[in-house]
């Protein structure tokens, strides 16, 4: 039995969870005494927790409790039990998370600190309590827990890095202290053990990129995002790569000089991500960025298709008027004048429904151009006249609007 335990522990150290679980299942089918069975169930519970199968992990722990209540009450087992409840809360679908899981986790962690003050992994307990507090929006208390965790004993090699990452998260998202958050994220990267799973670093570099982007350090932001892409590609993590591709795309997108580099990143994101079955804000944003890049690089048919896809994935976007206008411009440039009119009509009906007035001369200029192209000259004249009433005297389009208005008037008189 000792050899089996050693083999399983070796597989766990290598993060070969599939083979570890096979070994455990094989051992559990043999004749075992209660203590050996309990140890194997605990091992399998750890494996299932690591692989995100929380309910199965909890079933194993319930078996442990039934077999040996005294062993179940030990701090190391209670820690595992609490970790399962915390992860189940975090993994729950939005709107379906059960607060009893988070309450149960907190109660168990606090019990460990109260009853086993000399526990060899108290640093992890404080860290997990900090994460619990973050779910309750108690950021200052959470930060104190993470600071305490840095000073307490632990058996988790990456705990220091985990604490710095959470402190950086709080400074960035809650306190809006960008320099401090970057300091903590950098320390998280520097202290993360090389033997640990590199996937975690993908997320930290993405966070670093976001902070650097807000600090207007564009070059460093791009470098951090590229590092995330490189790590995710090397470890063949689809989820990590998708996150990294989105991050670097958002970093590069504001700079037209990077357009040729950004498009492949966005296209790669679409290729490796699971296509959503319904509304998906991220996919809508990806197609919106593609549309903007295609438009400013003169690929108007591509822009039109991308904008329509953006509406498909998020028909309730709060930027509907802006997106409809960009779709109309793309359709006009692609020679799809009727589709451009449809987009402008949806835009104007939406504004009317929201009791808003459209006072941008460029909208009416585009409307006039579409009507003009369709030989609807009386309607075009009305649109150009509305544009003329709104256009500033120094607008670059002023002469063009006046010229088209004169030509449309001449054609209308002939008809």
């Amino acid at each position: 039995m000792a050899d089996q335990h050693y083999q399983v522990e070796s597989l766990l150290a290598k993060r070969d969870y599939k083979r570890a679980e096979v070994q455990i299942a094989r051992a559990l089918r043999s004749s075992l005494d209660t203590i050996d069975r309990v140890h194997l169930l605990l091992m399998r519970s750890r494996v299932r927790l690591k692989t995100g199968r929380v309910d199965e992990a909890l079933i194993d722990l319930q078996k442990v409790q039934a077999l040996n209540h005294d062993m179940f009450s030990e701090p190391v087992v209670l820690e595992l039990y609490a970790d399962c409840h915390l992860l189940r809360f975090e993994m729950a679908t939005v709107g379906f998370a059960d607060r009893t899981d988070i309450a149960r986790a907190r109660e168990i962690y606090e019990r460990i600190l109260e009853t086993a003050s000399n526990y060899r992994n108290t640093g992890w307990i404080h860290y997990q309590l900090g994460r619990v507090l973050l779910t309750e929006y108690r950021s200052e208390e959470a930060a104190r827990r993470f600071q305490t965790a840095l000073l307490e004993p632990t058996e988790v090699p990456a705990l220091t890095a985990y604490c710095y990452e959470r402190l950086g998260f709080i400074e960035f998202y809650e306190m809006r202290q960008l320099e401090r958050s970057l300091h903590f994220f950098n320390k998280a990267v520097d202290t993360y053990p090389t033997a640990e799973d590199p996937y975690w670093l993908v997320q930290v570099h993405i966070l670093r990129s976001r902070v650097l982007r807000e600090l207007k350090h564009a070059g460093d932001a791009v470098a951090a995002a590229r590092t995330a892409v490189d790590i995710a590609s090397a470890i063949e993590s689809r989820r990590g790569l998708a996150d990294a591709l989105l991050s670097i795309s958002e970093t590069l997108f504001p700079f037209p000089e990077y357009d040729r580099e950004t498009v492949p990143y966005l296209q790669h994101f679409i290729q490796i991500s699971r296509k959503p079955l319904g509304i998906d804000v991220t996919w809508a944003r990806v197609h919106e960025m593609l549309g903007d890049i295609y438009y400013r690089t003169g690929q108007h048919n591509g822009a039109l298709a991308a904008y329509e896809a953006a509406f498909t994935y998020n028909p309730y976007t709060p930027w509907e008027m802006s997106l409809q206008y960009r779709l109309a411009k793309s359709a006009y440039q692609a020679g799809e004048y009727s589709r451009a009119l449809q987009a402008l009509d949806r835009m104007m009906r939406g504004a009317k429904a929201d009791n808003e007035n459209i006072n941008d001369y460029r909208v009416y200029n585009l409307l006039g151009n579409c009507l003009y192209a369709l030989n609807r000259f009386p309607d075009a004249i009305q649109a150009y006249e509305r544009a003329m009433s709104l256009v500033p005297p120094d607008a670059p389009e002023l002469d063009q609007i006046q010229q088209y208005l004169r030509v449309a008037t001449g054609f209308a008189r002939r008809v």
Side-chain angles (χ1 to χ4, degrees), residues 8 28 39 41 77 88 127 133 147 157 187 189 200-201 211 213-214 225 264 266 330 355 369 400 412:
V8 172
L28 284 170
H39 281 304
L41 287 169
V77 181
R88 185 162 68 175
Y127 169 76
L133 290 165
Q147 294 283 8
K187 287 183 75 68
V189 171
W200 185 82
L201 285 174
V211 176
R213 194 189 316 161
E214 291 203 23
L266 291 168
S330 299
N355 295 316
N369 290 343
Q400 179 258 324

Side-chain angles (χ1 to χ4, degrees), residues 392-406:
D394 59 346
E397 300 93 340
L398 178 58
D399 290 342
Q400 179 258 324
I401 296 171
Q402 290 174 331
Q403 180 182 354
Y404 273 72
L405 176 57
R406 286 195 298 269

Side-chain angles (χ1 to χ4, degrees), residues 123-143:
W124 176 257
I125 305 302
H126 283 286
Y127 169 76
Q128 292 290 73
L129 277 171
R131 295 177 64 214
V132 168
L133 290 165
L134 280 180
T135 71
E136 300 170 347
Y137 308 104
R138 296 158 63 182
S139 301
E140 293 185 4
E141 295 175 66

Side-chain angles (χ1 to χ4, degrees), residues 8 15 22 49 102 137 146 162 165 168 171 216 251 276 287 304 311 336 354:
V8 172
R15 293 188 290 277
V22 169
L49 176 64
I102 211 72
Y137 308 104
F146 297 135
Y162 293 160
E165 184 272 337
E171 294 293 341
K216 310 300 182 186
T251 302
H287 283 89
L304 178 57
F311 272 117
E336 300 280 354
D354 293 336

Side-chain angles (χ1 to χ4, degrees), residues 199 202-203 206 232 236-245 269 272:
Y199 171 78
V202 174
Q203 303 303 317
I206 288 172
E236 299 181 348
S237 168
R238 288 171 64 92
R239 178 186 170 192
L241 183 56
D243 291 344
L245 290 168
F269 172 89
I272 68 169

Side-chain angles (χ1 to χ4, degrees), residues 318 321 347-359 364:
M321 291 181 61
M347 177 182 174
M348 291 178 175
R349 283 190 285 110
K352 185 177 180 180
D354 293 336
N355 295 316
E356 295 181 14
N357 294 319
I358 297 178
N359 296 315
Y364 295 99

